[in-house]
């Protein structure tokens, strides 16, 4: 791996030790590796997740709905330890065949609904409760624009920059420079947009903010990949203002703790089953 160039073979083969920090869970095939049922609690929504940027999008939305007094949004959140392969259990794969967190089961109606991909969950819940997503018109389109912007952009930040800067077994200049340039371009997109509006899709807080904040808000607040100085994140003053405003919301403070299994013990919450768990 220390060679400066790589000549691909005619046919790629899987080397199980390849993949850096995540070599033990990355594989080129789908499906379950072991039989294990998912736990089920008493609430209408069952969330199976981990407090990664993708995971906390959904717990933030649940907590924001509950903050509004919408008790029908009560949920159980179960910890999925991805480094231990929980996402490859038969139960998890039954909900999400892509074996990525988060996964959600909506049991509020006559038929259980399996939902995977965080963006799909945000839209499902926002539409179900009529909050944080306009029902129609240009305002809805603008929220959807930015929601899908996050879906397309964050892989460059996470799987691109984050992997090669923080997780790859060796550091190489080309991929780090390539993805650092793209992440800084993305930050500039956000900064220019937030110069003229309070939130990312306008003057109202929406699921677009909840989707973008866990990635780019964490980045400009120095909480992602230890890359704040490298990327000069303090240059993006409008993004920083927006990120700090959202971080101060009570529901966000709760949401980022759910399914967190690292850091100081008082910031962790492996499972969440009621508001009393935060006491």
């Amino acid at each position: 791996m220390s060679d400066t160039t790589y000549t691909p073979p005619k046919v790629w083969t899987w080397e199980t030790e390849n993949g850096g920090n995540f070599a033990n869970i990355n594989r080129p095939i789908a499906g379950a590796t072991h039989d294990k049922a998912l736990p089920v609690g008493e609430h209408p929504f069952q969330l199976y997740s981990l407090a990664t940027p993708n995971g906390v999008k959904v717990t933030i939305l649940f907590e924001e709905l509950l903050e509004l007094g919408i008790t029908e949004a009560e949920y159980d959140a179960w910890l999925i330890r991805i480094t231990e392969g929980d996402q490859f259990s038969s139960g998890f794969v039954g909900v999400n065949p892509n074996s990525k967190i988060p996964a959600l089961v909506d049991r509020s109606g006559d038929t259980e609904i399996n939902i995977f991909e965080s963006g799909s969950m945000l839209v499902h819940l926002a539409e179900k409760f009529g909050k944080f997503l306009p029902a129609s018109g240009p305002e809805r389109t603008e929220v959807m624009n930015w929601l899908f912007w996050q879906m397309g952009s964050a892989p460059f930040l996470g799987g691109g920059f984050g992997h090669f800067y923080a997780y790859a077994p060796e550091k190489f200049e080309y991929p780090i420079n390539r993805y650092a340039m793209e992440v800084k371009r993305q930050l500039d997109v956000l900064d220019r947009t937030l110069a003229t509006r309070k939130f990312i899709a306008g003057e109202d807080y929406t699921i677009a903010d909840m989707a973008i904040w866990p990635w780019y808000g964490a980045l400009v607040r120095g909480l992602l990949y230890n890359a704040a100085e490298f990327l000069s994140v303090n240059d993006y003053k409008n993004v920083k203002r927006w990120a700090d405003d959202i971080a101060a919301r009570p529901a966000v403070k709760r949401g980022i703790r759910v399914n967190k299994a690292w850091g100081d013990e008082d910031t962790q919450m492996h499972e969440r089953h009621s508001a009393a768990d935060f006491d």
Side-chain angles (χ1 to χ4, degrees), residues 81-205:
R81 296 183 183 271
I82 61 174
T83 58
E84 297 178 14
D86 290 351
Q87 69 275 33
F88 298 115
S89 72
S90 57
F92 192 93
V93 173
V95 177
N96 183 357
N98 196 40
S99 292
K100 302 290 185 181
I101 61 96
L104 177 66
V105 179
D106 179 349
R107 305 165 63 223
S108 63
D110 294 334
T111 302
E112 289 189 358
I113 302 173
N114 293 336
I115 311 161
F116 60 94
E117 292 299 326
S118 57
S120 180
M121 294 177 201
L122 294 178
V123 173
H124 177 83
L125 294 170
E127 290 185 335
K128 188 177 189 71
F129 295 108
K131 301 294 181 182
F132 304 113
L133 175 64
S136 62
E139 294 82 7
R140 177 186 175 90
T141 299
E142 186 69 351
V143 173
M144 298 299 276
N145 286 342
W146 286 105
L147 178 64
F148 281 93
W149 179 89
Q150 188 276 316
M151 302 302 155
S153 297
F156 289 94
L157 170 55
F161 176 77
H163 176 77
F164 287 104
Y165 183 80
Y167 300 135
E170 297 182 51
K171 300 290 190 291
F172 291 101
E173 182 178 7
Y174 173 77
I176 291 174
N177 283 348
R178 188 261 182 271
Y179 288 113
M181 178 177 64
E182 174 60 13
V183 169
K184 288 182 70 65
R185 188 194 68 80
Q186 293 172 359
L187 286 170
D188 195 41
V189 169
L190 293 174
D191 202 62
R192 290 169 184 263
T193 300
L194 288 164
T196 61
R197 54 182 67 173
K198 183 176 181 180
F199 295 107
I200 196 62
E203 295 308 301
D204 294 327
Y205 176 60

Side-chain angles (χ1 to χ4, degrees), residues 199-233:
F199 295 107
I200 196 62
E203 295 308 301
D204 294 327
Y205 176 60
T206 70
I207 58 171
D209 299 286
M210 298 177 206
I212 295 169
W213 181 84
W215 285 103
Y216 297 89
L219 184 65
V220 299
R221 297 174 67 234
L223 303 175
L224 199 61
Y225 308 130
N226 196 28
E229 182 178 8
F230 181 76
L231 294 173
S232 303
V233 298

Side-chain angles (χ1 to χ4, degrees), residues 250-261:
V252 172
K253 291 179 180 180
R254 295 195 302 271
I256 61 175
R257 287 183 57 193
V258 178
N259 296 142
K260 189 168 183 282

Side-chain angles (χ1 to χ4, degrees), residues 52-107:
T52 66
N54 282 332
V56 301
K57 298 174 194 174
V58 183
T59 52
I60 286 172
L61 177 53
F62 271 123
E63 293 300 328
E64 291 283 7
L65 291 168
L66 293 168
E67 183 81 5
L68 294 175
I70 301 173
T71 57
E72 295 85 357
E74 270 292 357
Y75 69 107
D76 293 286
W78 305 92
L79 180 64
I80 299 296
R81 296 183 183 271
I82 61 174
T83 58
E84 297 178 14
D86 290 351
Q87 69 275 33
F88 298 115
S89 72
S90 57
F92 192 93
V93 173
V95 177
N96 183 357
N98 196 40
S99 292
K100 302 290 185 181
I101 61 96
L104 177 66
V105 179
D106 179 349
R107 305 165 63 223

